[in-house]
Amino acid sequence: MEGGRLVIDSKYLTDGEHIVRVLKEELSDPDADIPLTIFCEDIAHMGFAVGYDVFETCFWIGEYRRVAKEYGADFRLVTRNKVKIHHCQSSRAKDTNVRARMLERFGYYGSGKKGQGTKADPGMLYGLKGDMWSALAIAVYGAEQLCGEGLDGVRQ
């Protein structure tokens, strides 16, 4: 099981058990500047048969919610469709469209160049891959919802 998780300037792509341990460490650290709200991608019915991976994902979402509640953090589920509409204004957008939108908004490095950057000249998005792009899109969606656009499409 892999999942993407982003916290301000740290990036993790790791298994669910490790994410639960890190969440507990960050949420229990009295000196940490912890997020008050955690946004997590929800499972949505797509009309297809599902297998073990979907049920394992449901399990880990429950674990993340339990840990967040245990430490007093607000936990909100949001569907991928809401994130796609928010960033791309279309529910038909693909992951590549969402990634492109994140690069448009945050992919500057060096002297105004666009993209992730290079090892010699890394940008803010340098090193993001796979599920981290989805985690970034969800984090941006959540931040923008909390900063005045309401919590449309988010369930707790």
Side-chain angles (χ1 to χ4, degrees):
M1 160 102 189
E2 290 185 348
R5 177 178 162 280
L6 291 159
V7 178
I8 308 300
D9 58 88
S10 300
K11 306 178 262 314
Y12 301 93
L13 178 63
T14 186
D15 64 87
E17 288 179 27
H18 179 72
I19 292 173
V20 169
R21 281 193 304 277
V22 170
L23 272 176
K24 284 182 178 181
E25 288 171 14
E26 290 178 0
L27 292 172
S28 63
D29 182 358
D31 298 324
D33 184 18
I34 61 168
L36 299 176
T37 304
I38 296 170
F39 284 84
C40 181
E41 185 174 332
D42 198 1
I43 299 294
H45 182 276
M46 302 298 285
F48 301 108
V50 298
Y52 177 78
D53 289 346
V54 172
F55 293 107
E56 186 178 23
T57 299
C58 292
F59 169 80
W60 285 113
I61 289 172
E63 281 294 295
Y64 304 151
R65 173 184 272 164
R66 181 189 62 77
V67 170
K69 297 291 183 190
E70 180 180 327
Y71 289 93
D74 189 17
F75 186 85
R76 299 181 184 266
L77 292 169
V78 61
T79 63
R80 180 176 294 215
N81 196 44
K82 277 288 179 189
V83 174
K84 291 191 299 188
I85 291 169
H86 179 80
H87 292 299
C88 302
Q89 291 72 50
S90 172
S91 62
R92 300 180 78 180
K94 304 291 182 208
D95 288 345
T96 54
N97 303 112
V98 174
R99 180 184 181 277
R101 183 69 180 124
M102 294 297 97
L103 281 167
E104 283 175 18
R105 293 184 65 182
F106 306 108
Y108 291 95
Y109 68 100
S111 56
K113 298 177 188 171
K114 232 159 154 46
Q116 287 183 262
T118 63
K119 187 173 184 176
D121 188 11
M124 184 170 79
L125 303 179
Y126 181 74
L128 262 66
K129 57 187 173 191
D131 289 338
M132 290 181 189
W133 288 104
S134 178
L136 175 62
I138 292 166
V140 172
Y141 170 86
E144 290 174 351
Q145 292 297 303
L146 290 175
C147 289
E149 296 181 25
L151 288 171
D152 180 44
V154 178
R155 67 185 183 97
Q156 297 181 15

